[in-house]
């Protein structure tokens, strides 16, 4: 029997709520008979704001409570930013819908400088992402890199407060929150790589709930699924977690896929880069191939810190 109500588990940050509401309205439009409700909740990851994510257990912290709600029957699905998902899904869960990707670029945000090159010598840049730190260090070894965690709004407030000369955020998140005007310049591939899965919103549900999957199928974007499958396969092969600086960017053309991958070292700004092309039917094989190329360049030493 097809469900008549779908309850969406979501975190309560402004970005998470926007994304859950976005999925809800797409579902209501696709299925006029369906009731769709949000079930907002707080996760461990939202509560611990004073420590780097890597030190407190990583990305799974933002998912656990939402997955428990699905297991308990308090929610039917959960909406996430794909880049916040661990490389490996929890057993019994699937991603029945991957939405069309937004702008995957990172954003340079500053009240004083127009872009990275314009920052004064020794300027203070805030980001807790090791991937962003490594690429900042590579481009501008002189910069002072400072930790910065919290929701998008919190990070912007700390910038405006004068704690930093610039910060780096995802363009997609700023656009969703109506903060497009905060983007001073875009940090774009191939010179700057986003996180695997950046700018893709995904819907998670229990594997066994086939009727829920049927309702969600209409939201799935085949091209985005191909691109992020390659990026996530690469990240997974590299042992990907948020404790390692990994960037990935896959483009999809009629004749095939093109994947670029990066493993970096935040402390030195050393970057290993690799790229390869593959076919539409084997995005994971392409991800593995680029991971192998990075290992051949010595990625293991960087990944093991
Ligand atoms: N780590 C938080 C997070 N998770 C997803 C996004 C942006 C939206 C997306 O990538 O879909 C952000 C904010 C940021 O990195 O600036």
């Amino acid at each position: 029997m097809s469900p008549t109500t779908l309850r969406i588990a979501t975190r309560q940050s402004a970005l998470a709520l926007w994304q859950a509401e976005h999925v809800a309205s797409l579902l209501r439009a696709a299925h006029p008979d369906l009731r769709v409700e949000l079930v907002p909740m707080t996760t461990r990851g939202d509560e611990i704001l004073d420590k780097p994510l890597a030190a407190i257990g990583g990305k799974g912290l933002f998912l656990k409570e939402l997955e428990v709600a699905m297991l308990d029957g308090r929610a039917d699905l959960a909406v996430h930013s794909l880049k916040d998902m661990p490389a490996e899904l929890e057993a019994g869960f699937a991603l029945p819908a991957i939405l069309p990707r937004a702008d995957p670029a990172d954003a340079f945000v500053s009240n004083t400088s127009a872009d990275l090159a314009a920052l004064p010598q020794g300027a203070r840049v805030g980001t807790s992402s090791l991937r962003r730190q490594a690429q900042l260090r590579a481009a501008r070894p002189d910069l002072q890199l400072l930790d910065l965690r919290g929701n998008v709004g919190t990070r912007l407030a700390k910038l405006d407060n004068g704690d930093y000369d610039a910060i780096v955020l995802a363009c997609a998140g700023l656009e969703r929150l109506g903060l497009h005007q905060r983007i001073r310049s875009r940090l774009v591939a191939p010179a700057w790589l986003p996180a695997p899965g950046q700018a893709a919103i995904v819907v998670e549900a229990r594997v066994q709930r086939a009727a829920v999957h049927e309702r969600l199928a209409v939201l799935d974007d085949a091209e985005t699924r191909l691109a992020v499958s390659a990026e996530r396969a690469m990240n997974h092969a590299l042992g990907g977690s948020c404790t390692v600086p990994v960037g990935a960017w896959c483009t999809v053309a009629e004749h095939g896929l093109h994947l670029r991958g990066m493993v970096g070292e935040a402390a030195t700004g050393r970057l290993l880069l690799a790229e390869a092309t593959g076919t539409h039917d084997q995005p994971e094989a392409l991800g593995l191939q680029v991971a192998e190329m990075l290992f051949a360049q010595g990625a293991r030493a960087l990944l093991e810190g």
Side-chain angles (χ1 to χ4, degrees):
M1 251 266 296
S2 199
T4 54
T5 301
L6 287 180
R7 291 153 304 165
I8 304 180
T10 173
R11 294 168 52 208
Q12 303 194 60
S13 71
L15 182 59
L17 286 172
W18 186 96
Q19 294 178 167
E21 197 51 65
H22 180 61
V23 166
S25 52
L26 291 171
L27 282 172
R28 291 182 192 114
H31 308 291
D33 64 310
L34 195 62
R35 278 180 61 92
V36 186
E37 297 163 5
L38 297 199
V39 184
M41 47 188 70
T42 303
T43 69
R44 289 269 295 149
D46 298 302
E47 279 167 359
I48 310 171
L49 288 173
D50 55 341
K51 303 192 184 81
L53 207 48
I56 56 175
K59 299 184 175 184
L61 278 187
F62 289 101
L63 269 80
K64 183 83 183 155
E65 278 82 356
L66 309 187
E67 287 172 345
V68 168
M70 287 187 274
L71 291 172
D72 289 351
R74 283 178 284 127
D76 304 293
L77 51 114
V79 173
H80 310 287
S81 295
L82 180 56
K83 85 160 173 180
D84 296 335
M85 310 269 310
E88 197 155 8
L89 279 183
E90 201 60 40
F93 289 92
L95 300 179
I98 300 180
L99 273 58
R101 186 175 227 170
D103 183 355
D106 273 336
F108 177 85
V109 182
S110 170
N111 294 318
T112 51
S113 297
D115 56 30
L116 195 49
L119 279 173
Q121 193 75 10
R124 299 156 305 152
V125 182
T127 176
S128 291
S129 152
L130 297 176
R131 172 187 61 85
R132 289 170 177 156
Q133 287 177 7
Q135 295 186 105
L136 285 165
R137 182 77 64 223
R140 287 286 307 266
D142 60 294
L143 296 177
Q144 203 182 324
L145 303 183
L146 303 170
D147 266 324
L148 171 58
R149 275 200 65 209
N151 297 330
V152 174
T154 309
R155 296 190 213 183
L156 287 169
K158 287 183 181 168
L159 171 73
D160 294 342
N161 194 35
D163 296 2
Y164 309 94
D165 299 303
I167 63 175
V168 180
L169 293 169
C171 285
L174 289 168
E175 272 157 17
R176 288 174 191 145
L177 294 172
L179 296 168
H180 183 266
Q181 79 283 359
R182 299 298 304 251
I183 302 172
R184 293 297 297 269
S185 52
R186 292 168 66 248
L187 298 160
V188 291
W192 180 285
L193 295 188
Q198 183 154 311
I201 297 171
V202 297
V203 183
E204 183 186 22
R206 293 178 71 183
V207 169
Q208 64 183 52
R209 299 210 54 203
V212 173
H213 289 225
E214 260 171 52
R215 292 289 209 173
L216 295 170
V218 60
L219 302 188
D220 193 57
D221 183 67
E223 207 169 284
T224 303
R225 184 177 284 275
L226 280 179
V228 302
S229 297
E231 293 169 8
R232 280 173 60 77
M234 187 201 85
N235 194 32
H236 187 239
L238 292 167
S241 73
C242 57
T243 64
V244 295
V246 170
W249 184 53
C250 184
T251 53
V252 181
E254 214 173 310
H255 54 273
L257 311 177
H258 187 107
L259 175 65
R260 291 171 204 266
M262 182 276 292
V263 174
E265 188 170 49
T268 62
R270 196 171 151 223
L271 302 181
L272 306 178
L273 299 162
E275 61 185 302
T277 53
T279 54
H280 286 202
D281 55 337
Q282 290 193 314
E284 285 88 3
L286 177 59
L288 288 182
Q289 187 188 342
V290 174
E292 287 306 327
M293 293 165 78
L294 291 165
F295 278 131
Q297 291 181 47
R300 197 169 304 278
L302 300 192
L303 293 166
E304 283 164 3

